[in-house]
C-alpha cells in the first residue's frame, strides 16, 4: 500500500511538473512572475461598442457607411417621421390626441428594438458586442484607440506592460447574470493567459454593479483578486434609474415641464424654444403623450433589461419590482437575486478587505444630478450617480450646502485605522468617516461623472494604485490626498502653455515678461501636480490667458450677447397663461407670432 501511495505521489509530481512546463510559456512576457498583477477594466454604461446587425448578421450602416451603435438607441429619423408625422398633424389640427401618443410609443419600440429583452431577460435584438478576449498588447491599433479613449491608461500600460491590461466589454442593456458570469470566466482567462494567480479589477460606474453580482454569485473569485480599484462605481445604482422604474419623473409636473425641466438639461434658449413650440399642443394632449411614451419606455423596454435593474437603488427596488415585474416571474427571479447582491455589497467588500485584497475607491462629488427624476436632490452627486452609492454609504450635505458648523465627524466605519483622522472635506460637504472605506476612498470636488476619465489626476491615481505599491491609503502621499478636485488640463497642455512659451519675451516690458514667466511657471506646476483645489485650474488658466491677451498674443474673449428671444416668450407665456397651449387661448397665437417676428427683426 505504501509503495502504491509513493508511486502515486511520484506520478502526481511528474504530472505536476509536466503541467508547469507545459504552461510555462504564457502570453504575458513575465510568465506570471512579476510584481504587477494584470488589471481588468470593467467599464461603465455605454463604454463598450455594441453594433447593430441586420437579420442576416451583417452590420447595419448609416448613410456615411459607418457601423451603427446600439447605445443608447438606434435612431432612424426617417422612420420616426413616417410613424409620427400624420398623427402629429391631425393632433395639431384637431387639438386632440389623434393617435399621437400611440405613435410615440411606436417610435419608442422602434428606436429601442435592438436593445429589447424578452420575459426571460434575454436580448432579442440583432447586435454584436465588440469584445477583446486578449490583452491590450494583442489589440489592433483600432481596438487600442477604443479602449484608451474610454479610459486613458497608457501610463499604466507603460509601467506594467500592455500584456497586463485587459478590457472587459459588455452590452449595457444585456442580461445581468450572464454578464457577471462572463466577467468571472474572463478573470479565469486572464489568469491562465498571464500566468498570474491573481488579477486586479477596475469596476467603473455600471461596472461597480457588475462587481456586486460577481462577489455575490462567485464568492470564490475573491481568491483571484489582488486589488480592486473602483472608479465612480454604481454600488447602489443611481436615483435616476430608481425614479425611472418608479415613474417618479420630474416632467410629469406640467408647471415644471413648461418652466425648468428642459433648462436643467440643455442650453436655456434652446430649451425655451422647445417650450414655445410644445405649446402648439394643449398641455393635456402633450402630457398624455409624454406619459404614455414614458410608460412604454419603462414597461416595455426598461423593465425587461436586467442590466438596467442593476442600477436601481435598493431603496426603490421593492416598490418598482412589485409594480413592474408581477407578471414576469423569471425576470423577477433574476433581479431579486441581484437585489440580494446589492444589499450585500458592503458586506462582500468587507470580506475582500478582511481577506487582504486591497480595495480602493475613487469618487466625484458636488455636481448636481441631471434633473430627470424627483429624487435628484436627495443626496450629493456627481451628476449621474448619487454620492452614497459611489462612496459606499457615505454621509454628505447636498450640492450647494455644507454639513454645518456644528457637525462632528461620525466615525461609523470599522475601517478607519486611526480615530484622530480628519475625514471631513475641506469644503465641509462630505464626512468620509461614514463611508465603508474612509482611509481608501479618494474624493474629487466638482468633478462630473462623465468627464472622470479626463481628470488626469484620477487616471494617474488609478495607475499608481494598480501598477505600484506606493499608495496604500489616502495618507500615503500629499500627491494623492483624500480630497482633491476637478481638472482637465488638456487646453493648458496643448494650447495655452505652448503658446506662452513661444513668445519672444525680450520684446516685452520687464513687467510683462516677469508676469508671463510667472504665469507659465504656475501653469506648469499645476499641470505637473496631481493635487489641486476646486477652481484652481481656472485661476491658473485665466492668469495665463490674461497676460497673453495683454501682450497681444491672444484676442480678448468677446462674450457674444446670446439671444434671449425664446426665453422671454416662454417666460411671458408661462407667467400669463400657465401651461395652456397657444391655441387654447383665443388670439394668443397671433400675439406669439407677433412677438417672435418683432424679436427676430428688431433685435
Ligand atoms: Zn506579470
Ligand atoms: Zn481614517
Amino acid at each position: 500500500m505504501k509503495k502504491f501511495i509513493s508511486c502515486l505521489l511520484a506520478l502526481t509530481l511528474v504530472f505536476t511538473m509536466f503541467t508547469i512546463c507545459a504552461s510555462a510559456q504564457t502570453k504575458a512576457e513575465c510568465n506570471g512572475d512579476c510584481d504587477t498583477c494584470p488589471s481588468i477594466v470593467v467599464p461603465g454604461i455605454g463604454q463598450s461598442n455594441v453594433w447593430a446587425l441586420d437579420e442576416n448578421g451583417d452590420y447595419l450602416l448609416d448613410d456615411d457607411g459607418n457601423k451603427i451603435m446600439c447605445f443608447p438607441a438606434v435612431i432612424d429619423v426617417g422612420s420616426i417621421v413616417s410613424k409620427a408625422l400624420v398623427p402629429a398633424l391631425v393632433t395639431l389640427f384637431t387639438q386632440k390626441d389623434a393617435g399621437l401618443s400611440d405613435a410615440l410609443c411606436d417610435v419608442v419600440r422602434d428606436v429601442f428594438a435592438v436593445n429589447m429583452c424578452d420575459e426571460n431577460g434575454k436580448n432579442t435584438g440583432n447586435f454584436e458586442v465588440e469584445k477583446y478576449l486578449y490583452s491590450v498588447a494583442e489589440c489592433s491599433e483600432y481596438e487600442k484607440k477604443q479602449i484608451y479613449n474610454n479610459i486613458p491608461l497608457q501610463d499604466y500600460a507603460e509601467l506594467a506592460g500592455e500584456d497586463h491590461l485587459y478590457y472587459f466589454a459588455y452590452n449595457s442593456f444585456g442580461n445581468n447574470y450572464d454578464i457577471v458570469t462572463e466577467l468571472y470566466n474572463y478573470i479565469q482567462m486572464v489568469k491562465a493567459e498571464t500566468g498570474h494567480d491573481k488579477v486586479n479589477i477596475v469596476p467603473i460606474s455600471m461596472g461597480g454593479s457588475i462587481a456586486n453580482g460577481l462577489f455575490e454569485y462567485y464568492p470564490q473569485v475573491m481568491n483571484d483578486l489582488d486589488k480592486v480599484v473602483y472608479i465612480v462605481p454604481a454600488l447602489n445604482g443611481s436615483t435616476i434609474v430608481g425614479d425611472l422604474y418608479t415613474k417618479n419623473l420630474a416632467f410629469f409636473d406640467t408647471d415644471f415641464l413648461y418652466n425648468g425641466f428642459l433648462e436643467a438639461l440643455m442650453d436655456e434658449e434652446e430649451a425655451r424654444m422647445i417650450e414655445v413650440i410644445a405649446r402648439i399642443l394643449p398641455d393635456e394632449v402633450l402630457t398624455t403623450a409624454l406619459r404614455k411614451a414614458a410608460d412604454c419606455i419603462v414597461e416595455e423596454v426598461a423593465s425587461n433589461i436586467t442590466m438596467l435593474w442593476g442600477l436601481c437603488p435598493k431603496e426603490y427596488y421593492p416598490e418598482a419590482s412589485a409594480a413592474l415585474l408581477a407578471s414576469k416571474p423569471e425576470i423577477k427571479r433574476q433581479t431579486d437575486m441581484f437585489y440580494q447582491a446589492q444589499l450585500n455589497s458592503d458586506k462582500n467588500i468587507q470580506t475582500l478587505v478582511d481577506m487582504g485584497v486591497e480595495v480602493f475607491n475613487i469618487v466625484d462629488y458636488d455636481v448636481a444630478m441631471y434633473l430627470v427624476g424627483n429624487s435628484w436632490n436627495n443626496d450629493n452627486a456627481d451628476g449621474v450617480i448619487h454620492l452614497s452609492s459611489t462612496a459606499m454609504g457615505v454621509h454628505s450635505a447636498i450640492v450647494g450646502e455644507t454639513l454645518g458648523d456644528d457637525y462632528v465627524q461620525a466615525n461609523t466605519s470599522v475601517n478607519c485605522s486611526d480615530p484622530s483622522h480628519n475625514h471631513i472635506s475641506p469644503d465641509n460637504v462630505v464626512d468620509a468617516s461614514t463611508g465603508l472605506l474612509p482611509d481608501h476612498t479618494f474624493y474629487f470636488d466638482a468633478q462630473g461623472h462623465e468627464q472622470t476619465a479626463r481628470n488626469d489626476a484620477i487616471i494617474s491615481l488609478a495607475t499608481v494604485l494598480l501598477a505600484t505599491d506606493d499608495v496604500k491609503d489616502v495618507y500615503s502621499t500629499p500627491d494623492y490626498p483624500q480630497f482633491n478636485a476637478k481638472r482637465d488640463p488638456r487646453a493648458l497642455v496643448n494650447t495655452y502653455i505652448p503658446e506662452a512659451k513661444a513668445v519672444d519675451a525680450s520684446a516685452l516690458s520687464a513687467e510683462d515678461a516677469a508676469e508671463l514667466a510667472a504665469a507659465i511657471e504656475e501653469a506648469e506646476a499645476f499641470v505637473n501636480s496631481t493635487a489641486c483645489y476646486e477652481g484652481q485650474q481656472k485661476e491658473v488658466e485665466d492668469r495665463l490667458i490674461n497676460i497673453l491677451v495683454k501682450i497681444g498674443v491672444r484676442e480678448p474673449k468677446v462674450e457674444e450677447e446670446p439671444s434671449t428671444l425664446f426665453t422671454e416668450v416662454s417666460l411671458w407665456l408661462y407667467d400669463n397663461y400657465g401651461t395652456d397651449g397657444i391655441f387654447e387661448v383665443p388670439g394668443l397665437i397671433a400675439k406669439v407670432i407677433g412677438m417672435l417676428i418683432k424679436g427676430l427683426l428688431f433685435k
Side-chain angles (χ1 to χ4, degrees):
M1 189 63 186
K2 252 190 196 166
K3 213 172 185 182
F4 174 72
I5 290 175
S6 47
C7 273
L8 200 68
L9 275 176
L11 258 175
T12 320
L13 200 65
V14 170
F15 188 72
T16 321
M17 277 171 63
F18 178 75
T19 12
I20 289 172
C21 290
S23 66
Q25 210 45 53
T26 69
K27 284 188 170 179
E29 224 171 276
C30 69
N31 285 323
D33 186 19
C34 82
D35 292 336
T36 311
C37 293
S39 297
I40 302 169
V41 174
V42 187
I45 192 166
Q47 287 192 310
S48 298
N49 292 339
V50 181
W51 304 114
L53 305 177
D54 65 17
E55 54 278 9
N56 303 318
D58 297 321
Y59 294 115
L60 280 181
L61 301 176
D62 65 16
D63 294 343
D64 301 324
N66 297 315
K67 292 193 275 186
I68 295 175
M69 257 192 210
C70 296
F71 185 88
V74 176
I75 293 167
D76 176 0
V77 178
S79 131
I80 292 176
V81 170
S82 74
K83 283 200 163 68
L85 185 64
V86 173
L89 287 176
V90 178
T91 301
L92 183 57
F93 284 120
T94 60
Q95 295 281 295
K96 293 200 169 55
D97 186 351
L100 178 65
S101 54
D102 291 338
L104 277 182
C105 287
D106 266 356
V107 167
V108 165
R109 284 181 204 114
D110 212 32
V111 299
F112 288 109
V114 72
N115 293 318
M116 291 276 204
C117 291
D118 62 18
E119 303 221 333
N120 294 314
K122 303 278 188 182
N123 291 99
T124 54
N126 292 323
F127 61 83
E128 179 189 286
V129 181
E130 186 178 303
K131 292 182 184 174
Y132 318 108
L133 302 172
Y134 30 75
S135 76
V136 172
E138 285 184 68
C139 283
S140 67
E141 284 312 309
Y142 158 81
E143 290 172 326
K144 285 182 192 181
K145 206 175 136 198
Q146 309 303 305
I147 292 168
Y148 288 139
N149 190 36
N150 286 329
I151 177 150
L153 282 174
Q154 289 92 331
D155 287 347
Y156 166 84
E158 185 79 20
L159 283 169
E162 280 189 329
D163 57 356
H164 283 57
L165 180 59
Y166 287 78
Y167 193 90
F168 174 76
Y170 64 89
N171 180 5
S172 304
F173 292 146
N175 181 275
N176 186 305
Y177 187 83
D178 290 351
I179 288 170
V180 170
T181 302
E182 263 182 58
L183 175 59
Y184 177 75
N185 292 331
Y186 195 89
I187 290 169
Q188 306 315 313
M189 179 201 81
V190 173
K191 282 169 58 187
E193 267 203 25
T194 61
H196 278 275
D197 60 356
K198 287 185 193 294
V199 304
N200 306 322
I201 58 171
V202 189
I204 302 171
S205 192
M206 187 187 234
S209 112
I210 301 175
N212 277 344
L214 181 71
F215 301 143
E216 181 76 8
Y217 312 150
Y218 298 96
Q220 67 273 25
V221 80
M222 295 186 182
N223 295 306
D224 301 329
L225 300 178
D226 186 43
K227 293 172 184 170
V228 178
V229 177
Y230 287 109
I231 303 178
V232 293
L235 293 171
N236 185 28
S238 160
T239 52
I240 293 180
V241 179
D243 281 338
L244 177 76
Y245 277 128
T246 52
K247 299 186 187 170
N248 186 21
L249 297 170
F251 60 78
F252 286 168
D253 171 2
T254 41
D255 280 293
F256 186 56
L257 177 66
Y258 285 96
N259 185 24
F261 174 65
L262 293 171
E263 287 72 28
L265 298 177
M266 57 178 87
D267 173 69
E268 173 162 12
E269 182 64 7
E270 274 171 34
R272 297 290 181 190
M273 187 176 75
I274 297 175
E275 284 168 5
V276 173
I277 293 171
R279 283 175 187 269
I280 60 176
L281 290 177
D283 60 343
E284 250 189 61
V285 172
L286 181 69
T287 50
T288 309
L290 284 177
R291 264 183 191 276
K292 274 202 182 176
D295 278 350
C296 188
I297 289 179
V298 174
E299 284 162 23
E300 296 186 31
V301 184
S303 75
N304 287 10
I305 299 177
T306 52
M307 274 305 281
L308 211 51
W309 278 106
L311 294 178
C312 180
K314 59 192 175 197
E315 296 82 2
Y316 296 68
Y317 177 74
E319 183 196 329
S321 63
L324 295 171
L325 299 179
S327 62
K328 299 173 181 175
E330 173 52 23
I331 292 179
K332 183 150 189 310
R333 184 189 67 78
Q334 295 176 32
T335 54
D336 278 354
M337 204 163 66
F338 183 80
Y339 176 52
Q340 273 310 312
Q342 208 171 30
L343 291 174
N344 289 338
S345 175
D346 277 4
K347 196 182 101 199
N348 290 334
I349 292 169
Q350 187 65 48
T351 306
L352 284 170
V353 171
D354 295 341
M355 285 172 64
V357 178
E358 286 188 89
V359 183
F360 300 97
N361 193 11
I362 301 171
V363 304
D364 307 329
Y365 77 101
D366 246 1
V367 178
M369 188 83 106
Y370 283 116
L371 213 171
V372 180
N374 288 325
S375 311
W376 71 281
N377 203 22
N378 288 2
D379 189 5
N380 205 292
D382 64 11
V384 175
I385 304 182
H386 53 299
L387 185 60
S388 64
S389 173
T390 54
M392 305 177 185
V394 84
H395 172 65
S396 62
I398 57 173
V399 175
E401 293 187 8
T402 68
L403 291 165
D405 294 341
D406 309 331
Y407 185 81
V408 180
Q409 181 170 306
N411 289 329
T412 50
S413 170
V414 296
N415 294 309
C416 176
S417 58
D418 181 346
S420 74
H421 283 164
N422 176 15
H423 283 301
I424 296 192
S425 62
D427 54 7
N428 198 21
V429 172
V430 180
D431 178 357
S433 81
T434 56
L436 181 67
L437 303 174
D439 295 351
H440 298 87
T441 304
F442 299 83
Y443 292 81
F444 286 78
D445 189 4
Q447 178 64 57
H449 187 90
E450 296 137 291
Q451 295 79 38
T452 300
R454 305 296 154 229
N455 184 319
D456 57 329
I458 289 179
I459 296 301
S460 157
L461 172 59
T463 296
V464 169
L465 292 174
L466 291 166
T468 76
D469 286 320
D470 296 348
V471 174
K472 288 297 192 187
D473 59 38
V474 298
Y475 295 106
S476 292
T477 156
D479 290 340
Y480 302 107
Q482 173 143 53
F483 295 103
N484 207 329
K486 167 191 176 167
R487 53 187 276 151
D488 175 358
R490 283 179 295 176
L492 274 171
V493 172
N494 300 327
T495 308
Y496 305 135
I497 294 178
E499 213 171 273
K501 284 183 134 178
V503 172
D504 175 12
S506 66
L508 303 176
S509 75
E511 190 198 341
D512 287 349
E515 173 56 15
L516 180 67
I520 292 174
E521 193 186 350
E522 195 188 352
E524 287 190 318
F526 176 85
V527 165
N528 293 327
S529 75
T530 49
C532 69
Y533 53 84
E534 205 239 303
Q536 190 178 354
Q537 178 171 323
K538 186 164 184 332
E539 286 171 24
V540 169
E541 271 177 11
D542 285 352
R543 183 177 185 187
L544 199 53
I545 292 169
N546 285 342
I547 183 66
L548 287 172
V549 169
K550 183 164 184 237
I551 61 179
V553 173
R554 256 187 176 260
E555 292 291 318
K557 241 195 198 159
V558 259
E559 293 283 336
E560 223 180 280
E561 199 62 41
S563 163
T564 56
L565 176 61
F566 283 104
T567 303
E568 282 158 30
V569 175
S570 179
L571 285 173
W572 176 80
L573 280 167
Y574 183 75
D575 289 342
N576 291 287
Y577 302 98
T579 61
D580 285 345
I582 42 182
F583 293 109
E584 289 180 283
V585 182
L588 186 53
I589 181 70
K591 277 193 197 170
V592 169
I593 290 175
M595 280 177 84
L596 289 175
I597 290 175
K598 215 168 94 190
L600 289 171
L601 291 181
F602 308 107
K603 61 172 175 182

